[in-house]
Amino acid sequence: MHRLSEKRKQWLARHARRSIQHRLRRRRRTHTAANNSGRAEAIRLTIPETLTFEDNYAESVAFFDALRSAAEQRNAALTIDFTELRDIGPAAALVLATELECWRMSQLRRIRVVDIDKWDPFIRYLLNTLGLFALVNVANPPQPLADEHQRHFIQFQSHHLADGNHARKLRNELERITGEIPRWQDLYRALSEAMTNVRQHAYPREKGYERGDRKNRWWMSGAYNASDRMLTCVFYDRGVGIPATVEKTYGAPAIRELLQRFRWVESDQALIAAAMELGRTRTRLPHQGRGLADVEAFISRAGTGNLRILSRRGQYIYSGRRGKAKSLPLESPLRGTLIEWSIRLR
């Protein structure tokens, strides 16, 4: 019998492993994707005409809930129809990218989009600059169009660490379009604090989240509208939300005392406001930071622009021009926490 060389043995071993893995993947796909008819379940979702949290909140959140529910059905075939979409805001665009990336990380099947030739050209341009299709590996991505619009999206980033390099990268991408961003260090601290909050609070083990899960991440992006010189930065996580973590972060007695002092009825919006107030007033060592107060500082020190935080059923809005904040309920819950800074450049 011919004696096999060591190199040949290694090749045969690798080939055998690949063959076994291939058979297991095929068996798993057949098992998880088959329904009673023996075919993979097909899901088709249509994005609403307006996908923004400002002008069409309820319908936008309903779409994202449907998309997240689809991702919970293992190996479902997903088709998304963009043909009706005519307007999309920076915050909604980031949440859309987030949910599609999470789909990619959890599913064997790729997402398909339909009737690309019928898409609004402006929408196709924005979503391409956002980096949506390249990141989620869409099976049939549209071709990018020329940069001929006043609105710009910045390719979004995603990670699980609080790394300032990501904030600096976002700045570099934005300043290619906007020029120098004023009070950048304040925005840098705001983004860094948002990353730190995700790392420390958004995905607690006691709520069933596993440490190291690749989906326990944050996502951020930016946008610029040249027509009114409005700069927007958006940050999002899919965690339990600020209202669910504020008591653990600041302590139940401090929360109760604050609610009583301001005569706030306990609610998601009141708990977000309490977190912001405690972040401004608590006394800690300098290296520990001021928590969510750093998220607000960019707008308050600039004296213009707005900060908006959405989490569960609560909304917090701070106006830099007025120096005042207000808390409002949301008609339907947003899962996770969304932070948006917007400021008009001079």
Side-chain angles (χ1 to χ4, degrees), residues 105-343:
M105 291 190 290
S106 63
Q107 298 286 340
L108 295 173
R109 289 178 175 269
R110 298 166 74 184
I111 301 164
R112 292 196 65 84
V113 294
V114 296
D115 298 328
I116 296 174
D117 57 319
K118 298 179 182 179
W119 287 30
D120 184 286
F122 170 66
I123 295 299
R124 185 164 58 180
Y125 160 75
L126 283 181
L127 295 183
N128 269 283
T129 59
L130 181 67
L132 180 72
F133 299 106
L135 184 60
V136 301
N137 197 24
V138 171
N140 53 338
Q143 296 300 310
L145 300 178
D147 182 352
E148 55 188 25
H149 300 282
Q150 292 291 303
R151 291 176 61 191
H152 306 268
F153 283 175
I154 303 302
Q155 185 165 351
F156 71 91
Q157 302 177 60
S158 172
H159 211 275
H160 65 282
L161 296 177
D163 186 346
N165 287 328
H166 296 289
R168 283 187 282 271
K169 180 180 178 182
L170 180 66
R171 175 193 182 182
N172 292 338
E173 293 295 322
L174 284 169
E175 288 190 338
R176 289 178 187 175
I177 304 170
T178 66
E180 184 177 358
I181 298 175
R183 307 201 68 91
W184 161 250
Q185 286 302 320
D186 290 332
L187 179 57
Y188 174 84
R189 282 192 291 269
L191 291 169
S192 298
E193 180 58 35
M195 295 180 200
T196 300
N197 283 336
V198 171
R199 179 74 172 172
Q200 295 179 348
H201 307 298
Y203 301 103
R205 282 186 172 181
E206 60 268 23
K207 298 293 185 179
Y209 292 93
E210 295 293 333
R211 188 175 297 278
D213 190 320
R214 59 181 179 169
K215 290 183 289 185
N216 295 352
R217 306 167 71 91
W218 52 257
W219 289 260
M220 72 176 178
S221 182
Y224 179 65
N225 191 333
S227 63
D228 59 7
R229 296 189 58 78
M230 184 64 70
L231 171 70
T232 303
C233 290
V234 190
F235 189 94
Y236 180 62
D237 71 73
R238 300 170 87 245
V240 295
I242 293 174
T245 62
V246 63
E247 184 174 306
K248 182 180 178 181
T249 304
Y250 298 102
I255 298 299
R256 287 196 298 270
E257 190 277 331
L258 200 62
L259 293 177
Q260 292 173 1
R261 189 201 320 169
F262 290 102
R263 297 181 180 180
W264 290 338
V265 176
E266 184 170 344
S267 59
D268 285 350
Q269 65 266 25
L271 291 174
I272 298 172
M276 301 301 295
E277 179 67 22
L278 289 168
R280 284 190 293 267
T281 58
R282 69 177 181 171
T283 301
R284 290 206 171 183
L285 296 175
H287 71 275
Q288 290 180 300
R290 299 183 303 148
L292 286 173
D294 281 333
V295 170
E296 191 177 81
F298 171 57
I299 299 299
S300 63
R301 291 174 182 170
T304 185
N306 294 287
L307 165 72
R308 186 172 58 145
I309 301 175
L310 309 179
S311 191
R312 295 204 319 192
R313 289 187 177 273
Q315 177 176 197
Y316 176 90
I317 301 173
Y318 176 81
S319 170
R321 184 172 62 86
R322 298 179 179 178
K324 294 183 178 181
K326 60 181 178 181
S327 299
L328 302 168
L330 294 172
E331 52 190 306
S332 52
L334 178 74
R335 290 192 271 185
T337 297
L338 178 71
I339 305 174
E340 182 180 64
W341 300 265
S342 58
I343 187 169

Side-chain angles (χ1 to χ4, degrees), residues 29-162:
R29 284 197 295 266
T30 301
H31 175 71
T32 58
N35 56 21
N36 293 335
S37 64
R39 297 180 180 178
E41 181 180 0
I43 300 173
R44 184 183 177 107
L45 299 177
T46 299
I47 298 183
E49 180 177 356
T50 301
L51 195 70
T52 71
F53 294 125
E54 297 85 359
D55 302 322
N56 194 21
Y57 178 84
E59 195 173 1
S60 297
V61 170
F63 170 77
F64 291 131
D65 286 343
L67 183 54
R68 190 178 290 200
S69 296
E72 294 170 357
Q73 302 182 38
R74 294 293 299 170
N75 204 34
L78 175 62
T79 298
I80 300 181
D81 185 351
F82 286 78
T83 57
E84 294 185 13
L85 183 61
R86 293 294 180 270
D87 187 27
I88 183 168
L94 181 63
V95 176
L96 174 63
T98 296
E99 295 303 331
L100 293 183
E101 185 185 23
C102 288
W103 171 283
R104 180 183 63 84
M105 291 190 290
S106 63
Q107 298 286 340
L108 295 173
R109 289 178 175 269
R110 298 166 74 184
I111 301 164
R112 292 196 65 84
V113 294
V114 296
D115 298 328
I116 296 174
D117 57 319
K118 298 179 182 179
W119 287 30
D120 184 286
F122 170 66
I123 295 299
R124 185 164 58 180
Y125 160 75
L126 283 181
L127 295 183
N128 269 283
T129 59
L130 181 67
L132 180 72
F133 299 106
L135 184 60
V136 301
N137 197 24
V138 171
N140 53 338
Q143 296 300 310
L145 300 178
D147 182 352
E148 55 188 25
H149 300 282
Q150 292 291 303
R151 291 176 61 191
H152 306 268
F153 283 175
I154 303 302
Q155 185 165 351
F156 71 91
Q157 302 177 60
S158 172
H159 211 275
H160 65 282
L161 296 177

